[in-house]
Amino acid sequence: RFHILQDAGMGVTHELAIGLNKGHKVTKLERKPRPSRNKGRLNKRVKFIRDVIKEVTGLAPYEKRMIELLRVGKDKRALKFAKKRLGGHIRAKRKREDMQAVIQMQRKAQTQKQ
């Protein structure tokens, strides 16, 4: 009445209308990714522009406060502060990492100066 096919990886597959492997077996088409998948991806030009702007304008007041909290060793307080300012946990974690990188760069510049 129905065909039972032996598949290499998944076990028994069949053309029944029920079960995990139900339905007619077809090969999936490889589709090109939609342009919307690229939205928000950082490219070289945008990164360069943002770096120049950051260099000219400096740090925002809340970023300076975060750096002070991180220098004192209050990482959790800095995260909570960033979370309140930025509106999300993941954004706050990313900002905290950025601010720790800024502190490291400042220390590196200080040691090269001496």
Side-chain angles (χ1 to χ4, degrees):
R1 214 47 169 182
F2 58 88
H3 304 290
I4 295 179
L5 306 169
Q6 188 68 29
D7 195 11
M10 295 191 346
V12 177
T13 59
H14 47 72
E15 293 186 359
L16 285 179
I18 56 166
L20 289 174
N21 302 313
K22 68 181 181 181
H24 184 70
K25 296 291 159 235
V26 294
T27 57
K28 271 213 153 171
L29 291 174
E30 281 295 321
R31 291 203 175 138
K32 216 166 49 168
R34 292 171 178 241
S36 62
R37 292 282 170 202
N38 292 332
K39 184 174 181 186
R41 186 176 288 174
L42 190 67
N43 60 25
K44 284 191 298 187
R45 183 170 174 270
V46 173
K47 185 180 185 317
F48 174 71
I49 291 168
R50 286 182 185 164
D51 288 343
V52 168
I53 290 170
K54 189 60 114 173
E55 193 175 320
V56 171
T57 59
L59 296 171
Y62 82 96
E63 290 174 334
K64 289 177 184 173
R65 185 168 168 194
M66 276 186 69
I67 286 176
E68 288 305 314
L69 288 168
L70 289 169
R71 282 199 177 126
V72 175
K74 299 197 172 196
D75 290 15
K76 191 169 183 179
R77 174 57 59 189
L79 180 69
K80 286 178 82 169
F81 178 70
K83 205 162 122 179
K84 184 154 187 166
R85 292 298 160 103
L86 298 171
H89 184 68
I90 291 171
R91 287 177 180 176
K93 287 201 313 191
R94 192 174 296 134
K95 181 58 79 173
R96 182 176 64 176
E97 293 296 319
D98 291 347
M99 293 300 105
Q100 286 172 336
V102 167
I103 291 172
Q104 283 181 345
M105 286 182 64
Q106 286 175 348
R107 284 183 185 152
K108 194 181 221 182
Q110 191 75 23
T111 56
Q112 286 178 354
K113 207 180 242 187
Q114 292 175 352

